[in-house]
Amino acid sequence: DPDGLPAELLVLADTFNRPPTVAQIADAVSSPEQAVQVYTAARIAIDPDTAGEKQFLAGLAQALGIDPKLAQHIDATARNAA
């Protein structure tokens, strides 16, 4: 590689520089169980203290087909765990 970095680091850097869209994330999910796992992981990683973060999580839940009540439950659990 041109930068002398391992390929894994280049992939990680690319992901940070060009994060996937909500649609791309949802398209990569293949089951309702995986959708819940992905949403939960996103919610744990993101403390939605800005409008953009709240909008991202709401859009992700919708794109993944997460029931709004389940999303609220996941949000409450993540808040209480923090």
Side-chain angles (χ1 to χ4, degrees), residues 2-32:
D3 297 324
L5 297 173
E8 295 84 5
L9 278 179
L10 293 173
V11 169
L12 184 61
D14 186 54
T15 300
F16 281 123
N17 291 327
R18 294 182 309 123
T21 65
V22 166
Q24 290 169 324
I25 294 169
D27 286 345
V29 171
S30 59
S31 71

Side-chain angles (χ1 to χ4, degrees), residues 17-70:
N17 291 327
R18 294 182 309 123
T21 65
V22 166
Q24 290 169 324
I25 294 169
D27 286 345
V29 171
S30 59
S31 71
E33 295 80 11
Q34 192 178 39
V36 170
Q37 291 173 345
V38 167
Y39 181 78
T40 301
R43 180 52 187 87
I44 290 169
I46 298 170
D47 182 16
D49 54 359
T50 68
E53 291 167 340
K54 291 174 186 173
Q55 183 179 2
F56 172 81
L57 288 170
L60 182 61
Q62 182 177 14
L64 292 171
I66 303 288
D67 181 85
K69 289 184 181 185
L70 177 56

